């Protein structure tokens, strides 16, 4: 049977069934209302009748009196009358429709082409696997992975036999994070193998060098206020970072008039698959507008009769880790640094580069919070919501209200991690920035001649890192450094991409946020009014997603491209979930229209 992708959209036809349709449709119920159901299964349908009425009359009893049987006959006749004369709900038709909608979704998704999954070639290029993620496995004194251990990992990823994962050779006590998770089959949304991401920068490339220089500057500027990341800044470190990044031949972050400026420094971007093996680099709408930090990280979250403060626990200055080679090597082997973060005893708003890195480290009710904030500030629902113009109805947790959205946020977070981790484990296996820092260290200190692009080695960022921290390693903001899975694509950024896309689908992205604020530069436990160009919901949601993605870089654990590609991946997962959801609606629904990260409009 050919499935019509536009069928079962909640049209008037779905409430009508002629005799010819009945012959075509498989039926769940058979000869009579009760003929196909056992007494036990019918009693389980407590919502139809009370147990008393069922036992007393509808089903009858061999021990009932004549009078009781008469009453039962009346009840049964009334049920039949309601069913056939008053046309109540057709249960079998509803079950059949559910089956066909699920079949339709599966068929549509199966027909999505499988794209080419292009890698950067580093795993095949280097026999010692220096371009691949190997943290948690045993390494030699230079930090090169034991090849038997690496092969035990790739063997499991190839066979996908659960027993082979238990035979992966680890170097310490840290376990690998969920390598079998991406193999779970999702019953909704696109399959991970059908999502393409651009190939990540190669180890020796100028693109990777540019991302490394940016990360060294992120470490150097951790205690600089975010308010200094604007074009009128007088901060010498900010100005030095801008100058250094502008010397690079392949820096892909946001620019103004072709140059990095203080206003564009450390702001987010998104990478899409371009033509052939190319990458399309975009800056999402709103990301360069106004303050660095999204309003959704500065506003109180109203949660029923309670509220969640936007003030966070922040790390004190000087909390930087993996500054010596022994500590770095222990982490690569899956061990512990034995250190912990020292926190400021007083909570405050996110005010510095380090603060955002710590928020992205631990997280909070970020996207659920955004959904609640949007409601509290009076944001209209997306104009495509079918209840916006209804004279008699409103949505609920079932469909088209915030409760429905919040269910999708949780679902999307799980499904997008499956897609992101599939890229991590089964396609790319890219080394983390901390591991790259070890290669840089070995080149400078031990003259190993690893293929590190000269733009890193000659950068002011590397020189300033040695002057400030006494090392050529990349300083980490977290004592454990990166999670034990590979770098590309970023899981946290993928979660940001799917959630922000769902939020844009449910709310009016053109709504201007009332009374925006910024942290008080003289007292970050307070906020002051923001004065500047209007800030829209769409722009601030885009900023929220990129803040979170770049925040992981502030911690030292992700490349810019990890987050940029993951945001696009998350967007695609969200759109696929919305498409599947739409197949089952009964409402007359023409689709949600919203703006993608690349500025194009899409209707789902």
């Amino acid at each position: 049977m050919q499935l019509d992708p536009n069928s079962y959209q909640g049209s008037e036809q779905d409430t009508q069934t002629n005799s010819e349709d009945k012959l075509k449709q498989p039926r769940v119920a058979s000869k009579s209302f009760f003929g196909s159901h056992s007494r036990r299964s019918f009693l389980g349908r407590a919502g139809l009748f009370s147990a008393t009425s069922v036992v007393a009359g509808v089903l009858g009893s061999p021990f009932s009196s004549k009078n009781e049987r008469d009453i039962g006959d009346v009840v049964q006749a009334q049920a039949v009358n309601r069913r056939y004369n008053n046309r109540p709900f057709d249960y079998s038709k509803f079950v059949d429709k559910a089956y066909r909608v699920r079949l339709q979704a599966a068929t549509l998704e199966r027909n999505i082409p499988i794209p080419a999954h292009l890698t950067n070639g580093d795993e095949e290029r280097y026999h010692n696997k220096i371009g691949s993620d190997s943290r948690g496995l045993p390494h030699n004194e230079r930090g090169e992975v034991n090849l038997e251990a690496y092969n035990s990992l790739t063997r499991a990823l190839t066979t996908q036999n659960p027993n082979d994962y238990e035979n992966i050779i680890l170097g310490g006590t840290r376990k690998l994070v969920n390598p079998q998770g991406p193999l779970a089959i999702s019953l909704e949304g696109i399959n991970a193998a059908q999502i393409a991401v651009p190939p990540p920068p190669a180890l020796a490339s100028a693109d990777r060098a540019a991302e490394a220089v940016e990360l060294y500057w992120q470490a150097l500027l951790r205690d600089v206020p975010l308010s200094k990341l604007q074009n009128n800044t007088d901060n010498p470190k900010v100005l030095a970072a801008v100058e250094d990044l502008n010397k690079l031949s392949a820096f892909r972050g946001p620019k103004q008039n072709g140059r990095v400026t203080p206003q564009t420094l450390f702001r987010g971007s998104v990478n899409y698959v371009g033509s052939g093996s190319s990458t399309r680099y975009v800056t999402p709408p709103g990301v360069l507008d106004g303050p660095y930090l999204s309003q959704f990280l500065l506003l109180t979250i109203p949660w029923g009769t309670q509220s969640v403060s936007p003030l966070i626990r922040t790390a004190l200055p000087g909390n930087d880790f993996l500054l010596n080679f022994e500590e770095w090597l222990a982490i690569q082997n899956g061990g512990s640094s034995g250190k912990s973060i020292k926190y400021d005893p007083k909570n405050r708003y996110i005010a510095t580069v380090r603060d955002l890195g710590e928020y992205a480290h631990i997280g909070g009710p970020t996207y659920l919070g955004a959904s609640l904030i949007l409601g509290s500030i009076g944001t209209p629902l997306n104009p495509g919501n079918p209840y916006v113009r209804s004279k008699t109805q409103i949505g609920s947790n079932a469909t088209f209200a915030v409760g429905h959205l919040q269910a999708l946020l949780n679902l999307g977070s799980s499904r997008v991690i499956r897609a992101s981790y599939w890229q991590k484990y089964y396609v790319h296996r890219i080394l983390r920035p901390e591991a790259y820092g070890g290669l840089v260290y070995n080149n400078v200190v031990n003259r190993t001649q690893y293929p590190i692009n000269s733009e890193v080695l000659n950068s002011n960022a590397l020189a300033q890192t040695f002057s400030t921290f006494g090392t050529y390693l990349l300083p980490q903001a977290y004592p454990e450094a990166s999670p034990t899975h590979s770098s590309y694509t970023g899981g946290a950024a993928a979660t940001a991409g799917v959630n922000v896309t769902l939020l844009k689908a449910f709310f009016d992205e053109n709504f201007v946020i009332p009374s925006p604020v910024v942290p008080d530069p003289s007292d970050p436990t307070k906020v002051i009014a923001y004065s500047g160009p209007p800030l829209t919901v769409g722009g601030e949601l885009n900023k929220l997603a990129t803040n979170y993605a770049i925040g992981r870089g502030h911690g030292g654990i992700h490349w810019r491209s990890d987050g940029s590609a993951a945001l696009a991946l998350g967007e695609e997962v969200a759109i696929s979930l919305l498409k599947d959801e739409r197949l089952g609606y009964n409402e007359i629904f023409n689709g949600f229209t919203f703006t993608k990260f690349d500025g194009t409009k899409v209707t789902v």
Side-chain angles (χ1 to χ4, degrees), residues 309-332:
S309 169
L311 277 68
I312 70 163
R313 181 185 66 179
T314 60
L316 291 167
N319 276 270
D320 299 294
F321 305 95
L322 274 65
L323 301 182
N324 67 74
F325 193 79
E326 291 73 22
E327 184 179 324
W328 175 87
L329 185 58
I331 293 293
Q332 305 315 296

Side-chain angles (χ1 to χ4, degrees), residues 507-569:
F507 286 96
D508 185 350
E509 64 186 1
N510 297 313
F511 182 72
V512 174
I513 294 178
S515 306
V517 296
V518 293
D520 186 342
S522 61
D523 182 2
T525 65
K526 301 176 182 178
V527 289
I528 58 176
Y530 158 76
S531 59
L535 305 176
T536 65
V537 164
E540 292 302 291
L541 285 174
N542 288 341
K543 197 182 292 180
L544 176 64
T546 57
N547 279 164
Y548 211 105
I550 290 291
R552 303 286 275 182
H554 291 345
I557 69 171
H558 267 301
W559 306 100
R560 172 179 284 275
S561 56
D562 294 344
S564 298
L567 290 171
L569 179 148

Side-chain angles (χ1 to χ4, degrees), residues 15-64:
T15 63
Q16 300 175 358
T17 305
N18 57 35
S19 58
E20 183 179 354
D21 290 336
K22 289 181 179 178
L23 292 173
K24 292 179 180 178
Q25 295 174 356
R27 302 288 290 177
V28 175
S30 56
K31 296 181 181 177
S32 72
F33 188 38
F34 306 114
S36 64
H37 298 285
S38 69
R39 181 175 185 274
R40 178 176 298 174
S41 67
F42 183 74
L43 283 170
R45 301 174 184 266
L48 298 180
F49 303 97
S50 71
T52 303
S53 68
V54 171
V55 173
V58 176
L59 292 180
S61 167
F63 305 106
S64 62

Side-chain angles (χ1 to χ4, degrees), residues 368-392:
L368 170 65
S371 73
L372 296 169
I373 289 169
L374 286 164
S376 72
I377 63 175
T379 312
L381 295 172
N382 188 301
N385 190 308
Y387 292 113
V388 168
R389 289 176 295 278
S390 175
K391 297 177 181 179
T392 61

